[in-house]
Amino acid sequence: MPSARHRSRRSKRAEKETPKGFVLLVEDGRQRGEEYHFETECTIGRTAGNDVIIVDDSISRNHARIWGKRGVFMVEDLGSSNGTRVNGKIIEGPEVLRDGDYVTVGVVTLLFSNLEMGDAGEPTAIINLSEKQQKKLDFEEDPWAWARPVLDMWEDEEGKKKLIGAGAALFVLILAIMWMLIDDPDKGRVNVYEDYSDMVVTYDESNWEDFMFQVFGYCKPSEVTSSEYCQYCKPFRASVKIEFVVTGKNRRVKLYYAAGKIEKDKEVEILLNGKRIQYAEWAPPNRAKFNYVVDLYHTAKERKDLELKEGKNILEFRNTYNKIGEDGKGHGDESWYIFYIRLKTTALPKPNPQKAMEYYSVAKEMFNRREVIPSYYKEAYVKFSKVVDLLELSDRNQPEIRGMYEDSISKLNILERDFDNMFEKTRALLWEASRTENKKEMQDMLGKIQKIIKRFPEGDLRRRKLEDILKQLTD
């Protein structure tokens, strides 16, 4: 509920003519007391580019987004590491905000004020809400609702006797189960889950599109409904081993993958032929993260202890919390999953610094103008990739060639982050389009989304995911 101070602020705003949008007031944490006013939407994070910038380690670069119109506003987590909470409860997807709700990002709490609300707390405009949205707006949760039938029985003398009798029977049953387990500790232990941690999966590049939709890892039955991918998760509790073949020398192999529920430090390691390449990057517990990229060729070339062999290789994702026992199976209960796996192999061309310089000059120009001409996002990415390939086998001791090579890799990393941000915002826009009941408005939004999707390189897994969602909406 809004504080007295908040109501006082609201009364002053109510005097203004036709107030629009919403206000966020930092209630505690860093920047306490700061107030932000927005008409339609804002993003919250710790880096430049966000509308509300809060420099705190508990807040992700792009943490959360609030948006809406006609007096109805929603909040959505953008895949942050610590999640977003509304009134103390972590949100799993976009949630409708009511006037006076508290939004917590990391350890910082903001008070949400809907300026398009009258004194009675109702929207001042006529709003066409879906049935689901209306339920979210009107629902007042009774924290003791689950216990009301029991409390009502306890107030009745006859009901009280029944409750005492049921409690005694339950106590006897618990004692009996405990006695059985003491008598035979293994009795009642049933391994419900299959586990293929000792199995090797074969990857076929010619069939990569089918392979990418396979989901590997471990999800508990209680979590199957909490993620759209858990229900397809094949039981590899501790390890997923993937065999792939490199058909010749000087082949660049790039690993692309998506992941979910990897939220602990050094939880999953990635190994090449038994040697660790790196730890898998953090993946949100409440939403999968797409298009992680690892250049296996470049990594193996830079490290003497790694080898990318001509012929058969084994790539492994290993969960360090669900360790493999002597039986070859995983023992542990940590949830995790990976999917959208692709091992893309390309033959490296002969070194050509002159051609690389031509691509590099054009790519830099496109990179600098990508916000003016959106298609340059994709084109700059393709050309910088060609520069890296053309210089990979060259002698990079020359400062000019080394500088061009390293700058191209740096620009590719920046573009990857751009694509990540575009992906998250476009996915939220797709969700918003799916909730729109006005057909014309929905068509306008889908047209805008199609233009954004074209900014991604061909074959990019983020592009593929957005195209899949768009297809579901338009079919």
Side-chain angles (χ1 to χ4, degrees), residues 14-29:
E15 295 173 3
K16 299 181 180 180
E17 294 183 6
T18 60
K20 296 285 186 180
F22 59 94
V23 169
L24 295 175
L25 173 66
V26 182
E27 283 283 304
D28 58 36

Side-chain angles (χ1 to χ4, degrees), residues 47-62:
T47 58
N50 290 287
D51 301 303
V52 178
I53 302 171
I54 302 176
V55 183
D56 190 287
D57 291 338
S58 67
I59 296 175
S60 297
R61 292 182 178 87
N62 300 289

Side-chain angles (χ1 to χ4, degrees), residues 128-350:
N128 296 319
L129 297 178
S130 66
E131 184 178 348
K132 188 174 182 180
Q133 286 175 317
Q134 191 63 54
K135 285 180 179 179
K136 285 187 175 182
L137 284 171
D138 295 340
F139 182 71
E140 290 292 338
E141 184 177 1
D142 179 3
W144 293 99
W146 61 274
R148 290 300 173 200
V150 177
L151 294 175
D152 292 341
M153 286 184 67
W154 189 259
E155 291 177 0
D156 179 69
E157 194 63 34
E158 189 64 29
K160 186 182 293 187
K161 291 180 181 178
K162 291 181 180 179
L163 286 174
I164 294 173
L170 180 61
F171 180 71
V172 171
L173 178 61
I174 292 172
L175 285 177
I177 293 172
M178 290 177 65
W179 177 259
M180 288 173 62
L181 292 175
I182 293 171
D183 182 55
D184 182 1
D186 293 325
K187 189 181 293 183
R189 289 187 182 179
V190 179
N191 183 15
V192 179
Y193 314 107
E194 292 182 283
D195 182 19
Y196 300 120
S197 294
D198 56 346
M199 179 180 178
V200 177
V201 181
T202 302
Y203 175 84
D204 180 7
E205 173 65 12
S206 64
N207 195 34
W208 72 271
E209 290 198 56
D210 289 337
F211 191 88
M212 68 185 285
F213 287 106
Q214 297 186 46
V215 183
F216 305 98
Y218 170 61
C219 289
K220 304 167 193 174
S222 61
E223 296 171 332
V224 167
T225 57
S226 68
S227 168
E228 58 182 309
Y229 300 102
C230 274
Q231 57 186 313
Y232 306 111
C233 188
K234 295 181 181 179
F236 290 76
R237 187 186 290 254
S239 171
V240 179
K241 302 182 187 71
I242 302 169
E243 181 185 278
F244 66 99
V245 176
V246 178
T247 56
K249 293 182 179 179
N250 297 327
R251 297 293 195 273
R252 185 186 298 283
V253 181
K254 275 192 174 183
L255 164 66
Y256 300 86
Y257 72 97
K261 292 188 177 295
I262 301 177
E263 66 270 24
K264 288 185 169 55
D265 183 43
K266 298 181 180 180
E267 180 178 340
V268 174
E269 55 184 354
I270 304 174
L271 302 98
L272 177 63
N273 296 319
K275 299 287 186 179
R276 184 197 305 139
I277 305 171
Q278 64 182 57
Y279 286 99
E281 293 186 57
W282 182 89
N286 58 338
R287 182 192 300 182
K289 186 74 184 291
F290 287 77
N291 218 69
Y292 292 116
V293 185
V294 182
D295 189 333
L296 301 182
Y297 173 85
H298 183 75
T299 306
K301 190 175 179 180
E302 295 293 312
R303 284 175 48 184
K304 293 180 179 180
D305 60 323
L306 287 177
E307 182 184 12
L308 181 63
K309 299 182 291 187
E310 186 177 353
K312 291 182 180 179
N313 293 267
I314 298 291
L315 175 77
E316 182 181 2
F317 291 85
R318 182 186 295 171
N319 190 297
T320 60
Y321 288 78
N322 300 345
K323 294 183 179 179
I324 299 176
E326 294 180 0
D327 57 359
K329 303 294 183 181
H331 299 272
D333 204 35
E334 189 62 36
S335 299
W336 68 292
Y337 59 90
I338 58 168
F339 63 109
Y340 264 40
I341 301 170
R342 186 180 183 187
L343 289 157
K344 185 178 180 180
T345 303
T346 54
L348 290 170
K350 293 181 179 180

Side-chain angles (χ1 to χ4, degrees), residues 445-459:
M445 293 176 70
L446 294 180
K448 179 181 177 182
I449 289 167
Q450 286 175 326
K451 291 180 181 178
I452 297 174
I453 290 175
K454 290 179 180 178
R455 299 179 188 178
F456 290 85
E458 300 291 340

Side-chain angles (χ1 to χ4, degrees), residues 78-139:
L78 298 178
S80 67
S81 56
N82 291 315
T84 300
R85 298 175 183 271
V86 175
N87 298 328
K89 181 180 178 182
I90 195 163
I91 60 175
E92 299 292 339
E95 292 284 343
V96 173
L97 284 172
R98 292 176 295 178
D99 185 59
D101 279 348
Y102 290 91
V103 178
T104 302
V105 290
V107 298
V108 178
T109 297
L110 303 101
L111 181 63
F112 171 83
S113 301
N114 190 340
L115 297 184
E116 299 179 46
M117 301 284 285
D119 291 336
E122 297 295 333
T124 56
I126 298 175
I127 304 163
N128 296 319
L129 297 178
S130 66
E131 184 178 348
K132 188 174 182 180
Q133 286 175 317
Q134 191 63 54
K135 285 180 179 179
K136 285 187 175 182
L137 284 171
D138 295 340
F139 182 71

